[in-house]
Each structure stands twice: as C-alpha cells, then as structure tokens.
Amino acid sequence: MTEGESAPQVDSTATATSDSSAAPVPTEVRAHEIHHGDAPAHHLKEQDSIGRLTPRPTFMEHLVESRDAMFHLDRRDSSELERYFHGPREMDKHSKWPTFMRMHGSVMPKMILPLLTVAAWSTFITLFSKKVHYIGVNNILLTVLGFVVGLALSFRSSTAYERWADGRKYWAQLIQISRNLSRTIWVNTGERQGEEGKVDLLRKITAMNLILAFAVALKHKLRFEPDIAYEDLAGLVGHMDTFARDAHDNERLHPPAKSFRKAIGEYLGVSFAESNPRKLIKRSKKPLGHLPLEILNHLSAYIDSCVSNGTLVSGLHQSQAIGMMASFNEVLTGTERVLDTPLPTAYVIAISQIAWIYVIVLPFQLIAVLDWVTIPASIVAAYIILGLATIGSEIENPFGQDVNDLPLDTYCRQIALELDIMTSSPPPKVDDFMSRPDNLVLFPLSQNGYPEWKDRSVEDIRAALKAKVIANPAPAPSDASTVVETLSFKAPKSSV
C-alpha cells in the first residue's frame, strides 16, 4: 500500500460460511473455528432458511471493497504531490515534458540536503581563500581522483541496475507462468457431468484465484508486509489454513502515524529518519510461515486431485502443470535472492566515502582556476556525482514503493485482468469457432468462409494456397477480388 493510504479494516466477527464462493477474512477467532464454520454464536448474525450460517454484512462489503481495491490500490487517499514523488510509477501515464525537466522519478528531493551542504562548504572555502589565506591545490588531483570515482560509480550503478533488471525478469517470468498454468487449468482440465461438474468448475476458479494469490502474496513478502488481511489478498487466501493467517495482527495494519519530522526526513532521504523495513516481521509474536510457498502447496494438491479424479488425463499436460509449479518456485527463490543479496556493505561504504571525499576536496582544486565560479561549479559536480550514487542506492531494491521501483501492483492487476478474461467464457470448442461462416480461412485471397471451402476439393484448397504466394494480393478487398477472378478455380466466380 502506498503511503497515506488507509489500511483495510478487518472485521473480527467474520467467520466461515458453507458457501464455497465466499472466502473468510482472517479474524481473531481460532483458526479451526474459521475453517470448519463452528464459530461461537455471537460471531454470527443468523441462520438462513436451510440452516446455513450467514456472516455479518460487513464481511461481504469487505470482499467487494477488496476487489475494487485491487484496481485502485495506489490511487486513493493521497494527494497529487505525494503520488508525484512516491511510487511505484503508473505505467499508463505519459508525460510530454522534456526528459531533463521531469521531476517524477527524479532523485532531486533526496539531493536537496547534500547540495545545500556542498554549497555551504564551497562557499566557506572560497571566502576563506579570498579573505584569509589561499588554500588552493594543484588541479592534477582532479584527474587522479576523477578516474577512481568514475570506476566506483560505474560499479555501483551496474550492480544496482543488474538487480533491478533481474527483478523485472523474474516478474516477467511469473506473468508468463501464470498465463500458461491458468490456460492448462481452464482449457485442458475437464469437467465431469452433473453436480461433479459444478464442483470441478468451482475448483478451477479457486485454482485460478490461487495463481493470482501467489503473485500478490509474493509482492507483499518482497515488501516485508507479513500479514494477509491486505485489501488485495484477504479474499484470495483467507479460506486457507496458513501460518500468516494464524499470525494475523490488526496492529500491523494500523501502524502509528508518522511524525512530521520523520515524514520530511524520509522524503529528503535522511538516513536517520528511515525505518527498518523488516520491523513488522521482527515484531511478530507468532510464526509467519511462508505464504507464497504455502499457496504453491495448495496448488500442487489441486493438480494431484485433478490427476486422481481423471479431469487432467493427458500426461503432457500433467507434466506441464508440475513443471510450472517448479517454475513458480524458481521465481520465488530468484526474487528472494535479489532481495536478500545486496551489494556488500564494505563496497557501499567505500563508494559513498570516495564520492564524498571527491566532492569535499573539489573546491580546493577549482579555486585557482574558477575563482568565485567555484561555488556553482562544485554544486553542479556534486549533483552529478552524488546523483549517480543516489540512483544506485534507490534501485538496488527493485521491489519497494519508490517511483523507480518495479510497479508490482500493476503486474498483479495485469495477472488479475488476464485471468478474468480467460474465465469469462467456457473453454473454446474447436467446432464452435472453426466452422463459422465468418472464418475466412484464405483471407485476403478469398472472402469465402469455412463452409464454402469445405465443399471444395483438396486440390482446390492447395491451389488457392499456392496462389496466395504467386499472386501476393494487396490487402484491400477490391484488389483481392480482382486477383481471385483471374484464377481458374472449379468453383463459380460469384462464390469467391
């Protein structure tokens, strides 16, 4: 969740219902009570006409809000200025400003204090040299130190971008696996007749939700958000017995408001104001488990059940499904590697010290040549050198909430939208779309549909295929008709 966005309210009275379409939200009720639907009476509103336990209306409202929140997660309860300097960026927005004038994604806010420090320091050195005693040095030091600083910044930038690119590759792989596995489940997994077919359909939908849940849970894990009652996750995994569900704590969803000084400090990049991102995990009073891994366990159990009940009969599809589960685990391990293997601390400290030493000694070298221009020249040089170092520090962890971090919320919404598109209609049947009259099998050579060409001989079809290469008709229908009329097919010209 972006800064300034209110955390979701979790109804502590919500419990399970026998309707499989409603997933319970994590509550303070004991885990076995939520799972089996035998919570005490005071947690329930009433029983319906067939004796089912009906949850309070706030539970369903929470699910509706959770669904809406998936598509508006980073657009609510925050000012335009805050969204401008905080991220991740929105991929669908386009700026017409020249690149050098853009502020969205710039590290300028974090450069304000360093540049002010350099300005004050260079001013002091210049005034001291002019009014008290000349303290300039030979500028040959610029060449020697500049080479070392260039190597250090190049190493810092390349390693940070490598981590950023690796994070994007793993999420691209996650999207690809989600598409393949969802297609295998929705299209290649059959549905039995009668009531068993209804069960198969509901299980397929649940499995599709678990594919999305894996991506969302991975996003929260990479951002050190250990709970499951987030708006985009609660309705997907609330029905499963997991460690994260048992360790649910409302206090993690309602952290104390930041003081004005702390908020300003974080905005300006002051290290003393930054909080430990793992503090919520360290403060947990119960084992948090590993939610993405537990989701994979449930998905694997579903694949095994499909093999056992005969709805996934093809050995090839079975192997593909099992292989994609292993690929999911590969993505999980890879993203954890990127997150937990930053640049060694010794390198980080040394590169930072080298950059600052160069900036500090710069006025001593420029005073002899530039005179009063030393002050703006030092500020410009500091912006270039410290700016590159700051960029390397910002993109080192590509899974956070900064503007330059990967837009994980956008990736999760993309997976959700694609799964909705896939499940919006039954698996296609070949006869339903192949034999339609508007299936122009030889377009643009011929405007005839599948039924007309089905009545012709194989020789006519192959001759038409050859004619497509020889004639190379233009895409315009009128030109295609003219070309076709010059060909000698057995069918009447009026039918072509």
Side-chain angles (χ1 to χ4, degrees):
M1 291 184 293
T2 56
E3 185 177 342
E5 179 180 351
S6 58
Q9 298 288 342
V10 180
D11 184 8
S12 62
T13 61
T15 56
T17 176
S18 59
D19 186 357
S20 60
S21 63
V25 178
T27 68
E28 299 298 333
V29 185
R30 295 191 305 273
H32 75 275
E33 293 176 342
I34 301 175
H35 181 70
H36 298 290
D38 54 355
H42 67 274
H43 288 293
L44 303 171
K45 181 181 180 182
E46 59 182 3
Q47 290 187 343
D48 60 14
S49 58
I50 60 175
R52 294 182 302 182
L53 297 178
T54 306
R56 297 181 185 275
T58 53
F59 168 60
M60 295 306 298
E61 293 172 0
H62 177 83
L63 292 182
V64 174
E65 292 175 357
S66 299
R67 181 61 178 172
D68 294 340
M70 293 179 62
F71 297 93
H72 304 281
L73 194 60
D74 54 357
R75 293 181 173 87
R76 304 182 309 163
D77 299 334
S78 58
S79 65
E80 288 293 333
L81 183 62
E82 183 181 5
R83 291 202 302 270
Y84 193 77
F85 288 105
H86 289 76
R89 68 192 186 281
E90 296 184 21
M91 303 293 291
D92 56 349
K93 284 195 172 183
H94 173 72
S95 175
K96 295 183 179 180
W97 285 94
T99 304
F100 73 95
M101 296 180 64
R102 297 178 188 174
M103 291 296 295
H104 186 61
S106 172
V107 294
M108 178 58 75
K110 295 183 179 180
M111 295 294 297
I112 294 176
L113 292 181
L115 292 182
L116 290 177
T117 302
V118 172
W121 172 252
S122 60
T123 302
F124 169 76
I125 297 299
T126 303
L127 289 174
F128 189 87
S129 296
K130 288 290 185 180
K131 305 298 183 181
V132 181
H133 179 72
Y134 180 76
I135 53 176
V137 297
N138 195 312
N139 57 14
I140 190 62
L141 198 60
L142 279 172
T143 305
V144 178
L145 293 182
F147 177 74
V148 177
V149 172
L151 288 178
L153 293 179
S154 176
F155 175 72
R156 175 65 163 160
S157 299
S158 60
T159 53
Y161 180 76
E162 182 181 0
R163 289 165 53 83
W164 191 91
D166 284 345
R168 181 64 185 99
K169 290 177 182 177
Y170 283 120
W171 272 89
Q173 184 180 357
L174 173 60
I175 295 175
Q176 177 185 5
I177 299 169
S178 300
R179 292 168 176 169
N180 292 335
L181 182 58
S182 59
R183 185 173 61 250
T184 299
I185 292 175
W186 191 252
V187 178
N188 303 126
T189 303
E191 299 173 12
R192 293 167 292 183
Q193 300 296 324
E195 289 296 321
E196 291 182 338
K198 185 191 300 183
V199 172
D200 293 336
L201 176 60
L202 292 176
R203 288 184 175 182
K204 288 169 69 172
I205 297 174
T206 302
M208 303 287 272
N209 290 338
L210 289 181
I211 295 176
L212 174 60
F214 175 80
V216 177
L218 179 60
K219 175 193 71 173
H220 286 292
K221 179 174 177 55
L222 295 176
R223 292 178 175 175
F224 307 109
E225 297 171 344
D227 214 290
I228 70 169
Y230 304 106
E231 290 179 321
D232 55 349
L233 185 61
L236 299 174
V237 298
H239 61 286
M240 298 190 304
D241 293 325
T242 60
F243 282 101
R245 170 185 162 176
D246 294 339
H248 162 67
D249 187 356
N250 278 326
E251 294 182 0
R252 282 200 294 263
L253 302 178
H254 302 279
K258 297 179 181 179
S259 64
F260 178 77
R261 295 174 58 184
K262 182 177 179 60
I264 293 297
E266 290 183 350
Y267 181 73
L268 296 178
V270 179
S271 60
F272 298 103
E274 295 178 355
S275 301
N276 183 1
R278 291 177 170 84
K279 64 180 181 180
L280 294 179
I281 298 177
K282 292 183 176 181
R283 294 174 182 176
S284 178
K285 301 177 182 178
K286 297 181 180 179
L288 295 171
H290 196 301
L291 186 57
L293 185 61
E294 293 177 270
I295 293 175
L296 289 185
N297 292 340
H298 288 76
L299 264 175
S300 298
Y302 168 75
I303 298 297
D304 287 344
S305 68
C306 292
V307 175
S308 300
N309 61 27
T311 54
L312 188 61
V313 295
S314 173
L316 177 61
H317 293 150
Q318 294 174 6
S319 300
Q320 288 178 342
I322 296 174
M324 283 182 280
M325 299 302 300
S327 298
F328 267 140
N329 189 64
E330 179 182 349
V331 170
L332 174 60
T333 305
T335 52
E336 290 176 338
R337 175 184 63 82
V338 172
L339 181 67
D340 298 330
T341 316
L343 191 66
T345 306
Y347 275 112
V348 176
I349 296 174
I351 293 173
S352 178
Q353 290 174 343
I354 290 172
W356 271 104
I357 290 174
Y358 183 82
V359 170
I360 289 174
V361 302
L362 195 59
F364 296 95
Q365 305 169 72
L366 298 180
I367 187 66
V369 179
L370 300 181
D371 206 40
W372 289 101
V373 184
T374 299
I375 299 174
S378 298
I379 296 175
V380 171
Y383 177 79
I384 296 173
I385 296 171
L386 299 180
L388 291 175
T390 303
I391 292 174
S393 176
E394 181 165 329
I395 68 174
E396 187 177 29
N397 176 14
F399 307 124
Q401 300 277 12
D402 295 328
V403 178
N404 291 295
D405 290 332
L406 295 174
L408 304 188
D409 294 318
T410 301
Y411 299 155
C412 291
R413 287 197 298 268
Q414 177 183 346
I415 296 175
L417 178 60
E418 292 174 353
L419 294 181
D420 288 342
I421 292 174
M422 187 173 298
T423 57
S424 62
S425 59
K429 296 181 180 179
V430 176
D431 293 337
D432 291 342
F433 67 90
M434 286 285 189
S435 57
R436 290 178 179 175
D438 52 354
N439 177 19
L440 307 181
V441 291
L442 290 175
F443 180 84
L445 179 68
S446 172
Q447 302 300 313
N448 283 347
Y450 180 92
E452 289 81 2
W453 283 101
K454 184 180 179 181
D455 294 335
R456 302 187 184 187
S457 64
V458 175
E459 290 76 12
D460 287 342
I461 297 175
R462 295 193 181 279
L465 292 173
K466 186 175 182 180
K468 287 181 66 177
V469 179
I470 297 175
N472 191 19
S478 59
D479 296 339
S481 301
T482 303
V483 174
V484 173
E485 288 178 356
T486 63
L487 302 176
S488 57
F489 293 120
K490 296 181 180 180
K493 293 182 180 180
S494 60
S495 64
V496 178

